[in-house]
Amino acid sequence: MKALRWFVGKIILILNSLFSPRGMQRSATAQQEVDAAVANMQLYQFETCPFCVKVRRHAKRLNIPLATRDAKTSPWGQELLEQGGKRKVPCLRIEEDGQVTWMYESNDIMAYLDKRFA
């Protein structure tokens, strides 16, 4: 089963690289504003998770440079568990005005990114 998961994960990554979406175009000033807003966000993910790939592709389509953290490695997996409450990916950590929000579910994350940056 582990070998099958590894194989399917590699296929997902290959297809993702072959059919990578184009990012939306913004003015330099607008892109700098987006970059500044995204600076306090991190996407906790597994590289080959289909739902994580879906969120990363959506962020690329919106031209959002999200920082990613591999939840399989230390210290990110432990941080996700301790601070977010569960080791589930994808998870978007949003820090605004001193408040930290942990958003799970790929569709919720994509809807938030659309509302904020589209």
Side-chain angles (χ1 to χ4, degrees):
M1 190 63 162
K2 190 173 183 178
L4 178 64
R5 234 182 317 192
W6 178 86
F7 181 72
V8 171
K10 294 301 176 186
I11 289 174
I12 289 171
L13 291 178
I14 290 169
L15 291 174
N16 183 46
S17 66
L18 290 175
F19 303 104
S20 186
R22 287 187 173 172
M24 76 179 339
Q25 297 298 313
R26 296 186 182 93
S27 68
T29 306
Q31 187 62 46
Q32 286 177 342
E33 290 174 8
V34 168
D35 294 348
V38 173
N40 293 325
M41 295 181 193
Q42 295 86 32
L43 179 67
Y44 290 77
Q45 48 101 35
F46 296 152
E47 184 181 33
T48 58
C49 165
F51 299 104
C52 299
V53 170
K54 179 175 146 180
V55 171
R56 289 194 313 261
R57 288 177 62 84
H58 193 72
K60 184 169 185 173
R61 196 173 294 115
L62 294 174
N63 203 8
I64 301 171
L66 273 179
T68 58
R69 294 184 171 172
D70 187 357
K72 287 184 181 179
T73 62
S74 185
W76 309 127
Q78 192 64 26
E79 182 177 290
L80 179 60
L81 181 62
E82 290 174 0
Q83 295 179 22
K86 50 188 166 183
R87 190 168 185 246
K88 180 181 174 187
V89 293
C91 178
L92 183 64
R93 181 184 186 272
I94 308 163
E95 187 174 344
E96 292 179 312
D97 303 324
Q99 298 282 18
V100 176
T101 304
W102 296 84
M103 184 178 296
Y104 295 91
E105 298 300 329
S106 58
N107 289 333
D108 293 343
I109 294 169
M110 292 182 345
Y112 171 78
L113 294 176
D114 279 338
K115 181 180 173 189
R116 183 98 189 265
F117 301 108

